[in-house]
Amino acid sequence: MDIQQVAKRANVSTATVSRVLNGFPGVRPKTVDKVQRAVADLNYVPNPNARSLRVGSTRLFGLIVSDVNNQFFPELIDAFEALASAEGIDVIFTHTNYDLKRLHRCVRRMIERSVDAIAIMTSEVEEDSLKQVHKAGIPVVLMNQRRYAAKYPSIPVEYTTGFREALDHLLSLGHRDIGFIAGPQNLNSARGRKDAFRTALRKHGLHVRSEWIAEGDMRVEGGRIAMQKLLEANPRPTAVIATNDMMAVGALQAAHAARVSVPKNLSLIGFDDIPIASLVRPSLSTIRHPRREVAARAFNCLQSALKGEIVNGGPTLHPHLVIRNSTAPPARKSRNACK
Amino acid sequence: MDIQQVAKRANVSTATVSRVLNGFPGVRPKTVDKVQRAVADLNYVPNPNARSLRVGSTRLFGLIVSDVNNQFFPELIDAFEALASAEGIDVIFTHTNYDLKRLHRCVRRMIERSVDAIAIMTSEVEEDSLKQVHKAGIPVVLMNQRRYAAKYPSIPVEYTTGFREALDHLLSLGHRDIGFIAGPQNLNSARGRKDAFRTALRKHGLHVRSEWIAEGDMRVEGGRIAMQKLLEANPRPTAVIATNDMMAVGALQAAHAARVSVPKNLSLIGFDDIPIASLVRPSLSTIRHPRREVAARAFNCLQSALKGEIVNGGPTLHPHLVIRNSTAPPARKSRNACK
DNA sequence: CTGAAAGCGCTTACAG
DNA sequence: CTGAAAGCGCTTACAG
């Protein structure tokens, strides 16, 4: 079933059919009618490959995320996909599992599929992959990769504000001994969050004690193990902030297993505000990451780039603290962390 | 950058380049070498649209699910995508949000994109959409849609065993008054699960009391509301089974809010065993749905169909009970639900 | 073992 | 307002 048969049935040329199909102006209403009827009668669906081959655009976007099992990403995917769908654009998506080697392969696949544009919404990014995309002449947008923001548009998400709010909250409750569950330091976003934590801490004249910092893999299990370590510290922190909610949830599990009551004996704050954060017990105080906004920005950014506009990531987004039930005043009088 | 330039650089015809690229046998090693070098030098990437146009296959599969925010589906997507990726197949995916109208549009998009095959892994399906796919000559596979299994391959997942195990477990703990949180009865999977619950109950000579059955929207919020209703029943059930874990989690929240302690004063069992089930407190006893197995079956099914084989969904999969901490003996002596 | 050439199904300048 | 025809970049019978 091709455009020729439609043309024949409607007694017009394929050029005219194409014009009608694409809604070009300047076709007689009667002709439009004839063609539309023929299309309907034959149940004709245009071949997108032929179109793409001719036009050079696939109306296909690529979306790469870190981890589908972290609820942060399905929401981002959902938002991105909805916008694309509204514009008649389909999305192929892959995830890297926080693995840069996989990123490289993902990018490669997208290029081979000749997508029109790629959104790389991962925690970390690596220059080779970006160069590859650049060489292929495909617009790309990143999420909060300040390091590459000069060369590639990147939606900027600032972490300091959120951490400052979290810290202010903890301090106002009376905490002084504050621990941190970091993410793998080869991930840009994990590094950024750790830096933001440190900055916020120093601003209040608090020192960062290395035994109060543990590292996890961004997943629940990593958070659990990290918290076990923090609980062994002596003295141990009265409050802990985790780099993301997945790890905060794991931390909560570990505290529970160790019979440390949250928030009575330990306050806990996460980051992201994924749905699970409000479902665990106690519900998690967390720093809300505006991921739908990020997705929308990313999508619009790519659209603009395709129109030939010069784009950047736009104004910086600021996550804010959401207070729930995992934070409370410290049980005993807090010791001062600064010697 | 096209195959001609590669051909020119390698001093061969485009036919030969194509043969090398596709790994056809019977090309002289030296020639293969020349071509490969030219490909590498020019950083050549074949145009998949041209290939698809010529060959008539896109190496693109469509995957439709119900809800990305139910962790059940990201895992299924992940498994499906991994298999596809290993075969050099890309996946475009959409979700219906449990809405049949959206299913229709999703299917339409997939057809327009001329995917090679479609996996419709939703809770419910509707004949019009299936007919559309059928007319387009595209292989399709469903998830547990017995009603359509005669016409379209459907991966069969049986619910009765799981519910029987759940019920046996509750009965052995001493429960007789068992409530149920159903899903919307226009969803096939929700109907199936409710039927399975009823069947299991009758088998034990227990009656189904209508005030012990509430309906929710498959999401956390729906489970919460449904549980509120069940808690108002008098007498109220001592144990509740929910159609899926998302609703079970909501039910847990509602119980907690009403100061009904789980499992001390109320036992609760979910269905699916999504990651969150083991992360809430108490961790949920639930019936584990083998979704990765479903995804693998679905993928293989589509592959076989494309080879022209006659396919069916294969042997029935049986979800089994996983016992955690949300079930315990009833607090008081259980009353008998049968008058 | 390799090449010349047709053709997949569209779109789009060009001509009228 | 509409049509004839070229061409997008591949693959693949066919011929040698």
Side-chain angles (χ1 to χ4, degrees), chain B residues 9 21 76 89 170 198 256 263 271:
Chain B
R9 174 140 191 153
L21 253 28
L76 195 154
I89 291 168
L170 291 176
R198 279 207 173 107
H256 181 62
F271 199 112

Side-chain angles (χ1 to χ4, degrees), chain B residues 12-13 15-16 19 27-28 31 53-54:
Chain B
V12 296
S13 71
T16 297
R19 284 191 269 259
V27 183
R28 253 197 317 170
T31 315
L53 179 57
R54 186 51 232 246

Side-chain angles (χ1 to χ4, degrees), chain B residues 221-277:
Chain B
E221 193 49 30
R224 193 194 315 261
I225 296 167
M227 181 56 105
Q228 281 167 0
K229 223 190 97 189
L230 293 183
L231 290 177
E232 285 165 11
N234 190 358
R236 71 181 184 209
T238 61
V240 169
I241 300 180
T243 294
N244 73 356
D245 283 347
M246 293 296 272
M247 292 202 292
V249 168
L252 197 57
Q253 301 264 302
H256 181 62
R259 312 236 165 263
V260 174
S261 167
V262 176
K264 216 173 72 184
N265 297 316
L266 180 75
S267 284
L268 184 60
I269 295 183
F271 199 112
D272 281 343
D273 195 17
I274 58 179
I276 195 180

Side-chain angles (χ1 to χ4, degrees), chain A residues 60 90-92, chain B residues 60-63 90-93 110 113 115:
Chain A
L60 202 58
D90 287 315
V91 176
I92 67 178
Chain B
L60 202 58
F61 279 14
L63 173 61
D90 287 315
V91 176
I92 67 177
F93 103 101
M110 303 260 167
R113 179 61 68 184
V115 297

Side-chain angles (χ1 to χ4, degrees), chain A residues 113-134:
Chain A
R113 178 61 68 182
S114 70
V115 297
D116 285 349
I118 304 179
I120 305 183
M121 304 277 106
T122 53
S123 302
E124 179 56 283
V125 117
E126 150 265 0
E127 185 127 36
D128 266 9
S129 300
L130 295 177
K131 275 189 188 155
Q132 231 186 130
V133 179
H134 185 70

Side-chain angles (χ1 to χ4, degrees), chain A residues 3 15 18 22 44 54:
Chain A
I3 204 172
S18 175
N22 293 293
Y44 166 74
R54 188 47 235 245

Side-chain angles (χ1 to χ4, degrees), chain A residues 2-313:
Chain A
D2 63 11
I3 204 172
Q4 293 234 42
Q5 301 191 39
V6 179
K8 197 191 283 178
R9 174 140 190 151
N11 269 316
V12 296
S13 71
T14 59
T16 298
V17 176
S18 175
R19 284 192 268 258
V20 172
L21 253 29
N22 293 293
F24 285 12
V27 183
R28 252 197 319 169
K30 248 187 206 158
T31 314
V32 172
D33 231 57
K34 275 197 299 185
V35 171
Q36 281 174 345
R37 203 155 338 165
V39 167
D41 288 353
L42 297 172
N43 215 310
Y44 166 74
V45 179
N47 181 322
N49 297 117
R51 175 174 216 289
S52 294
L53 178 56
R54 188 47 235 245
V55 175
S57 131
T58 51
R59 297 196 75 72
L60 202 58
F61 278 16
L63 173 60
I64 305 176
V65 302
S66 293
D67 178 7
V68 272
N69 291 314
N70 178 345
Q71 296 181 321
F72 179 87
F73 293 105
E75 276 188 57
L76 195 154
I77 295 171
D78 186 20
F80 192 89
E81 212 269 339
L83 290 166
S85 159
E87 300 284 325
I89 291 167
D90 287 315
V91 176
I92 67 178
F93 103 100
T94 56
H95 65 100
T96 63
N97 224 356
Y98 301 108
D99 177 354
L100 283 179
K101 273 174 230 138
R102 280 190 57 162
L103 174 62
H104 207 78
R105 287 202 300 276
C106 289
V107 164
R108 174 95 199 156
R109 268 174 69 190
M110 303 263 167
I111 293 173
E112 285 172 354
R113 178 61 68 182
S114 70
V115 297
D116 285 349
I118 304 179
I120 305 183
M121 304 277 106
T122 53
S123 302
E124 179 56 283
V125 117
E126 150 265 0
E127 185 127 36
D128 266 9
S129 300
L130 295 177
K131 275 189 188 155
Q132 231 186 130
V133 179
H134 185 70
K135 240 194 287 184
I138 300 175
V140 68
V141 61
L142 313 176
M143 173 169 66
N144 201 33
Q145 303 288 339
R146 200 171 310 177
R147 190 164 24 145
Y148 301 106
K151 292 192 197 168
Y152 307 93
S154 170
I155 312 300
V157 183
E158 183 266 2
Y159 297 136
T160 320
T161 310
F163 277 109
R164 206 178 45 224
E165 289 175 10
L167 213 55
D168 284 349
H169 174 55
L170 291 175
L171 291 171
S172 76
L173 289 172
H175 292 276
R176 300 288 287 167
D177 304 353
I178 297 168
F180 189 68
I181 298 179
Q185 293 300 298
N186 64 326
L187 300 184
N188 179 66
S189 79
R191 258 193 330 269
R193 292 179 186 192
K194 189 172 171 186
D195 287 347
F197 169 73
R198 278 205 174 110
T199 305
L201 215 58
R202 285 216 197 86
K203 203 158 180 179
H204 285 285
L206 295 177
H207 276 202
V208 182
R209 288 175 66 141
S210 66
E211 67 269 36
W212 288 350
I213 295 192
E215 201 173 302
D217 64 3
M218 302 299 269
R219 302 196 177 85
V220 172
E221 193 49 32
R224 192 192 317 261
I225 296 167
M227 182 57 105
Q228 281 167 2
K229 222 189 98 188
L230 293 184
L231 290 177
E232 285 166 10
N234 190 356
R236 71 181 184 211
T238 62
V240 169
I241 300 180
T243 294
N244 73 355
D245 283 347
M246 294 295 273
M247 291 202 293
V249 168
L252 197 57
Q253 302 262 303
H256 181 62
R259 311 237 165 265
V260 174
S261 169
V262 175
K264 216 173 72 184
N265 296 317
L266 181 74
S267 285
L268 184 60
I269 295 183
F271 199 113
D272 281 344
D273 195 18
I274 58 179
I276 197 180
S278 57
L279 299 174
V280 291
R281 245 170 60 207
S283 58
L284 270 182
S285 297
T286 184
I287 300 162
R288 174 156 185 80
H289 190 303
R291 49 199 167 281
R292 294 193 167 264
E293 176 75 17
V294 169
R297 287 265 198 94
F299 182 76
N300 293 331
C301 199
L302 293 177
Q303 286 275 63
S304 301
L306 284 173
K307 283 184 206 145
E309 296 166 18
I310 295 167
V311 297
N312 60 45

